[in-house]
Amino acid sequence: MARKPLFAMVGLGVLLLVVFYVQVIARNIAAPAILSATPTPTVAAVFSNVPATCPITRPPNPAFVPPAPWPAEPVGGDFWIGTPELWTSVSSTGMWIRLPHNPTGYSQKIPVWKPNYSAQLEPQPKLTITGKRLDVAAPSYVTSGGTNACHSDFGGCVMMWGVDLPSLGCWKLTIEHASYELSFVVWVAQ
């Protein structure tokens, strides 16, 4: 009789370990990718689950460091890309995976930094985002508008916009704000 509870406890422990490792692996693979500056530095994808034909955005060399007082490195293992006038963080994997799906597409939030941004003075930044599929012929995706988000992980307040990409695949997204522009290439997968 004493063996059944022991086996049940061991089985539960193994199950909890499996769930923990799956979450750790998913967190390391699924870090959201965001944007890069124009011109977009790209290289052929080196990840086995990203086709070599999708030129995902990779870290610039030398690394871009935003102006003070912004953090020298973004949180979560991402990298900065952009110019001192407009920048963002990009996932080191070059992928967006397991995005929420709704009737209009696969949703992702994109934070964008600029010096002296004020959420009080510009609560709805005039951002325009254009998406173009690179791997197959598809209609372009265009949206405009924006909001903001303030958090210590961001170093203060940032401009924020959500996209609903209509399909999976290789996407180049371009964000325009005032006379500045950021672009990135990302692989969107299940």
Side-chain angles (χ1 to χ4, degrees):
M1 279 303 215
R3 287 187 180 171
K4 285 184 181 178
L6 178 62
F7 286 127
M9 288 178 54
V10 169
L12 180 60
V14 169
L15 177 63
L16 289 174
L17 280 173
V18 169
V19 169
F20 171 77
Y21 282 112
V22 167
Q23 289 177 345
V24 168
I25 290 168
R27 190 175 306 126
N28 289 335
I29 291 174
I34 315 290
L35 306 171
S36 69
T38 300
T40 303
T42 58
V43 297
V46 294
F47 300 100
S48 61
N49 45 353
V50 176
T53 56
C54 185
I56 57 174
T57 299
R58 305 300 293 161
N61 187 9
F64 170 72
V65 178
W70 304 99
E73 295 180 6
V75 298
D78 295 350
F79 60 89
W80 292 122
I81 194 156
T83 67
E85 293 81 22
L86 197 67
W87 67 93
T88 191
S89 62
V90 178
S91 169
S92 60
T93 66
M95 297 183 292
W96 287 348
I97 61 173
R98 297 185 192 99
L99 297 179
H101 187 255
N102 61 56
T104 59
Y106 296 88
S107 299
Q108 180 64 295
K109 292 179 182 175
I110 302 173
V112 181
W113 287 257
K114 75 174 190 175
N116 303 318
Y117 173 70
S118 169
Q120 291 78 24
L121 297 177
E122 193 179 3
Q124 296 178 319
K126 293 178 174 85
L127 297 172
T128 299
I129 301 177
T130 305
K132 179 180 179 184
R133 276 286 296 267
L134 300 179
D135 54 338
V136 298
S140 294
Y141 169 85
V142 178
T143 186
S144 61
T147 188
N148 60 70
C150 301
H151 194 277
S152 60
D153 284 350
F154 296 144
C157 294
V158 299
M159 298 180 289
M160 183 74 75
W161 187 243
V163 296
D164 289 311
L165 297 174
S167 63
L168 302 173
C170 187
W171 283 90
K172 179 179 181 181
L173 295 175
T174 302
I175 295 182
E176 297 174 59
H177 180 269
S179 61
Y180 301 104
E181 184 176 284
L182 291 172
S183 293
F184 76 99
V185 175
V186 64
W187 180 250
V188 181
Q190 289 286 12

